[in-house]
Amino acid sequence: MRSPLRFVETLRSHGDVVRIRLGPQPVHWVNNPDLVRQVLASGSFTRGAQGDKLRIVIGSGLVTIDGDLHRRHRRLMQPAFHRARIAGYVETMRELTTEMTQRWRDGERIEADREFAELTLRVVGKTLFSTHLAGDLVDEVVRSIPLMLRGVGRRIRDPIGLRGKLPTPANREFDSAIRRLRKVVDRIIAEYRAGGDDHGDVASMLLLAHDEETGEGLSNQEISDEVLTLLTAGTETTANILAWAMHHLAERPEVEARLHAEVEAVLGDRAVTAEDLASLRYLHAIVMEALRLYPQAWILTRRALAPVRLGDIELPTGASIYFSPYALQRDPAIYPNPDRFDPDRWADDRSTLTQRPSFVPFGGGRRQCIGDVFAMTELTVALATIAQNWRLERVSGPPVRIDSSSTLKPSHLPMTPRHKPRG
Ligand code: HEM
């Protein structure tokens, strides 16, 4: 409880699958990357403990539903995340990043983590829900999502389930964060229903969707759950990766200089487009390294629907399975000097996001993050657009630590923007 990141790393030395107790529950912890891939690829598991806890908050959205319902909703939402569609989001991602940097003043401190949380929220709002989320809604969501995620994190680490029921200030804060988020989401849906137009975005897709067999559409509750799921899964995660990348760039001037040289060579003064993304190879390596060091879902869970064999271990129906992308991605046997931020690890790597067994920042198999390409595109566009005109310097003060209470956030991230002289 006190040192969870260290704890998950210690499990590695105990074998491929380790049985531990979390409260009264036996949990089978998988440490071997090939077995993790086997679990992710198999259709014989449900989302498990995390799904149960998240369902309390986001209801029945893609992250928490299983089986046929999951297949149906995934099929429905997939078109909004196709590569071609995402290429069409690049301009919006760039414009919103530029809008953010236009508010910066040379030498005037910003809270970079907060800036990026707001940016990713606006990007999801504008690209997936066509709306420019009004200022008050953005404030509400930026404030409520971390409170909500922290509450879910606490509940996942509390297998007995007692702490979540006590009338503590943290629990009251959690409950009211959820209420506020639901209100925002219901307002977005009401606006769409009132407008009645097809905006060609996820929200319209959900509203207009009909089951091929029954002809039934999704209920308001189902739509509300999916919208909340996307706001939850697609904003803080991406914002944190951007924040960590900026943190390491500020700590490592030689990495920053190489990034700036690449951006200058590929883009010069020109605005980044979808066609440039593949040419920004060093920038891509920086993003991969941030994803390796800070996998936002740093524990993932599953539950066996039938008896299953993992390596030489037989697990019964209902077995609870856990694994940690954080521990896998910091294994010194695979990533020498694993705690060092070193984009050059990826220099000659042409593998795709799903080819390295020990690299699972977006999960894998049929539940692989639906927003993986969206997030990679957003991170590339945001980093390139910032690096064209700005450097972010660190501000002296207490060291930046990893806050693992839900995702992997920087504990704080004050930075000073410096405008880059042209040429
Ligand atoms: C750097 C950013 C991101 C990271 C690290 C990340 C990570 C993940 C991971 C690890 C999973 C798999 C969970 C599991 O297997 O149990 C997942 C699922 C999911 N993610 Fe992401 N994600 C990111 C960005 C996004 C974005 C931008 C969106 C949408 C706008 C999104 C929406 C989802 C959804 C809906 C699921 C559930 C997919 C399913 O079960 O079918 N994520 N994400």
Side-chain angles (χ1 to χ4, degrees):
M1 286 282 191
R2 251 181 248 123
S3 199
L5 291 176
R6 261 174 54 93
F7 173 70
V8 298
E9 284 209 82
T10 60
L11 294 172
R12 205 190 285 131
S13 59
H14 294 277
D16 284 349
V17 183
V18 184
R19 203 173 119 113
I20 59 170
R21 276 195 173 279
L22 285 183
Q25 296 285 338
V27 159
H28 305 272
W29 203 287
V30 185
N31 293 310
N32 175 313
D34 294 319
L35 296 181
V36 165
R37 284 284 182 194
Q38 181 193 325
V39 171
L40 288 173
S42 163
S44 319
F45 296 93
T46 59
R47 188 69 167 59
Q50 265 169 348
D52 300 343
K53 306 279 176 176
L54 274 166
R55 204 168 298 118
I56 305 169
V57 182
I58 47 181
S60 300
L62 209 51
V63 172
T64 58
I65 52 183
D66 294 298
D68 283 345
L69 188 61
H70 175 261
R71 254 193 305 281
R72 189 170 145 239
H73 280 218
R74 179 117 190 173
R75 217 178 25 237
L76 250 159
M77 290 160 73
Q78 197 75 56
F81 293 94
H82 279 161
R83 250 171 219 283
R85 180 70 77 106
I86 288 170
Y89 300 150
V90 165
E91 197 177 322
T92 305
M93 292 168 172
R94 191 187 67 226
E95 277 170 10
L96 291 171
T97 308
T98 305
E99 257 177 53
M100 170 184 72
T101 60
Q102 278 167 349
R103 290 193 299 269
W104 295 351
R105 296 285 163 265
D106 191 283
E108 248 176 54
R109 168 182 159 151
I110 55 165
E111 304 307 319
D113 48 346
R114 159 98 206 178
E115 292 284 304
F116 301 149
E118 200 172 314
L119 171 66
T120 54
L121 194 61
R122 285 188 198 279
V123 168
V124 166
K126 184 109 189 261
T127 54
L128 301 182
F129 310 119
S130 304
T131 100
H132 225 122
L133 277 181
D136 57 329
L137 294 192
V138 170
D139 288 347
E140 197 61 279
V141 180
V142 169
R143 187 159 67 98
S144 303
I145 281 189
L147 295 175
M148 185 263 265
L149 287 176
R150 213 174 307 141
V152 173
R154 267 199 310 275
R155 282 160 179 75
I156 286 169
R157 289 191 302 278
D158 170 27
I160 303 170
L162 196 63
R163 290 199 313 165
K165 298 199 176 102
L166 302 172
T168 59
N171 284 339
R172 276 200 295 273
E173 202 175 53
F174 174 72
D175 291 339
S176 70
I178 296 173
R179 267 198 307 276
R180 286 197 306 270
L181 280 169
R182 280 281 176 198
K183 252 168 97 175
V184 172
V185 170
D186 292 343
R187 216 169 114 184
I188 296 177
I189 295 170
E191 273 176 29
Y192 267 79
R193 283 233 193 265
D197 303 329
D198 180 0
H199 298 275
D201 57 13
V202 171
S204 298
M205 240 175 253
L206 292 169
L207 281 161
L208 300 172
H210 288 285
D211 192 289
E212 283 160 17
E213 281 161 29
T214 64
E216 260 176 48
L218 296 179
S219 68
N220 266 3
Q221 183 65 48
E222 283 178 305
I223 296 171
S224 168
D225 289 354
E226 287 301 359
V227 171
L228 191 53
T229 295
L230 293 175
L231 286 176
T232 310
T235 53
E236 189 175 298
T237 44
T238 318
N240 289 343
I241 295 294
L242 188 54
W244 284 118
M246 283 301 173
H247 167 68
H248 284 286
L249 288 174
E251 302 265 299
R252 300 277 301 283
E254 76 286 5
V255 175
E256 186 187 51
R258 279 175 67 185
L259 169 68
H260 285 194
E262 179 178 85
V263 168
E264 182 70 38
V266 174
L267 302 177
D269 277 348
R270 193 168 55 71
V272 62
T273 65
E275 289 70 47
D276 296 315
L277 302 183
S279 311
L280 294 163
R281 293 212 59 83
Y282 191 64
L283 191 159
H284 178 76
I286 289 171
V287 173
M288 294 289 271
E289 190 61 348
L291 286 165
R292 181 187 71 80
L293 282 171
Y294 310 100
Q296 293 298 305
W298 60 276
I299 293 181
L300 287 174
T301 66
R302 292 292 187 267
R303 186 171 297 122
L305 280 169
V308 59
R309 192 178 180 79
L310 284 184
D312 50 11
I313 292 177
E314 208 55 76
L315 299 178
T317 303
S320 187
I321 309 230
Y322 278 52
F323 63 93
S324 168
Y326 178 88
L328 291 175
Q329 295 176 188
R330 291 198 185 217
D331 184 344
I334 302 167
Y335 301 98
N337 205 351
D339 298 337
R340 183 178 161 77
F341 182 82
D342 178 12
D344 280 330
R345 286 179 210 281
W346 305 96
D348 300 318
D349 193 281
R350 296 285 187 274
S351 56
T352 65
L353 284 173
T354 51
Q355 281 169 335
R356 274 188 169 226
S358 59
F359 188 68
V360 281
F362 293 111
R366 64 191 67 208
R367 306 206 75 131
Q368 165 137 345
C369 177
I370 200 171
D372 53 359
V373 177
F374 184 101
M376 293 301 285
T377 305
E378 182 179 358
L379 288 163
T380 309
V381 169
L383 264 172
T385 305
I386 295 170
Q388 275 184 305
N389 289 301
W390 297 89
R391 296 179 44 246
L392 293 185
E393 284 177 0
R394 55 179 300 226
V395 170
S396 56
V400 174
R401 288 174 298 96
I402 304 179
D403 173 351
S404 63
S405 53
S406 57
T407 51
L408 297 183
K409 281 163 80 73
S411 51
H412 56 298
L413 198 61
M415 301 192 95
T416 310
R418 298 279 174 203
H419 204 260
K420 270 170 52 184
R422 299 304 311 164

